Amino acid sequence: MGSYSFFEEYNQEVTDSLKNNFSEILKGIGEDVKREGVLKTPERAAKAMQFLTSGHCQDPAEILRSAMFAESYHDMVIIKDIELYSLCEHHMLPFFGKAHIAYIPNGHIVGLSKIPRVVDVFARRLQVQERLTHDILECINDTLKPTGVAVVIEAAHMCMMMRGVQKQNSVTTTSGFRGQFEKIETRNEFLKLISSDLA
């Protein structure tokens, strides 16, 4: 037996309620809920939905505050290619891609792992990409109070790829800038750095 174990805790009352709802959905689309392949699907879907929307129960600002350090660094800090997975609130289908985030410290820096965690918290909610971009931007800006923040998100949307217009190769890009990044030269430096591979 291996030493690896993975544990997720779910609210049993919520799980049972969602399980019943997913069972009704399966019946509604003509599935046989007694069929072996989907016998446990309602419970799996109930747990998956709780995980994928768990960001509603988390405070992203507190995540940042838990690892803020006084530091006199005043140049750009960039974390790029942060993977993100979210659910579109219109069709509850996934959209996924990458976030590129930069900030210019103003007396405080933050632990590098906290920025991707903030992305996860906001992504694990029913979202639209535009609001996701804004949420991340404002959280960092309001909590760290840097001299500038920049957020760019590039994502593919399954609601465009699997249904509707069915365009498999389209990518949506959204961006937001505050403070120093509203200056064209600072913004261009950021955009150049996230689009290049540094040796």
Side-chain angles (χ1 to χ4, degrees):
M1 183 176 177
S3 61
Y4 175 79
S5 63
F6 181 71
F7 177 73
E8 290 180 346
E9 187 175 356
Y10 296 96
N11 181 307
Q12 193 59 50
E13 185 177 341
V14 173
T15 300
D16 289 342
S17 176
L18 290 173
K19 177 181 173 181
N20 291 335
N21 292 334
F22 277 115
S23 183
E24 290 302 313
I25 290 171
L26 289 173
K27 290 176 187 176
I29 62 173
E31 261 294 353
D32 175 8
V33 294
K34 302 296 185 186
R35 186 166 64 82
E36 182 183 12
V38 295
L39 197 60
K40 294 185 178 180
T41 296
E43 183 174 1
R44 291 190 188 106
K47 290 179 177 179
M49 187 56 63
Q50 288 177 79
F51 175 78
L52 294 172
T53 59
S54 60
H56 289 293
C57 305
Q58 296 175 284
D59 183 355
E62 184 55 39
I63 290 171
L64 292 176
R65 286 193 291 266
S66 72
M68 286 176 60
F69 308 99
E71 188 64 51
S72 60
Y73 185 83
H74 297 292
D75 293 304
M76 197 182 300
V77 178
I78 301 175
I79 305 173
K80 69 176 189 174
D81 297 332
I82 302 168
E83 293 180 12
L84 69 86
Y85 303 90
S86 192
L87 287 178
C88 161
E89 67 181 30
H90 299 141
H91 304 99
M92 294 180 69
L93 288 172
F95 67 92
F96 57 91
K98 294 179 179 180
H100 313 289
I101 299 172
Y103 74 99
I104 300 172
N106 184 25
H108 287 88
I109 59 171
V110 67
L112 294 177
S113 68
K114 304 307 178 186
I115 300 288
R117 285 193 62 196
V118 166
V119 172
D120 284 345
V121 168
F122 284 118
R124 288 177 188 158
R125 302 177 179 186
L126 295 183
Q127 279 285 11
V128 293
Q129 185 175 332
E130 296 88 341
R131 186 171 67 244
L132 176 60
T133 305
H134 178 267
D135 286 347
I136 295 167
L137 180 77
E138 295 303 334
C139 179
I140 296 170
N141 194 52
D142 293 345
T143 308
L144 290 184
K145 302 193 185 308
T147 58
V149 185
V151 177
V152 170
I153 293 178
E154 304 169 284
H157 293 248
M158 297 305 286
C159 59
M160 288 181 64
M161 299 166 73
M162 294 177 67
R163 64 174 306 284
V165 295
Q166 298 179 49
K167 300 301 180 189
Q168 275 70 46
N169 298 310
S170 62
V171 174
T172 301
T173 301
T174 49
S175 63
F177 305 96
R178 292 290 182 274
Q180 291 295 318
F181 288 97
E182 293 176 278
K183 296 179 179 178
I184 191 67
E185 61 271 18
T186 310
R187 184 184 308 185
N188 284 346
E189 180 185 354
F190 164 70
L191 294 173
K192 181 179 179 181
L193 287 169
I194 66 171
S195 62
S196 64
D197 293 321
L198 301 177

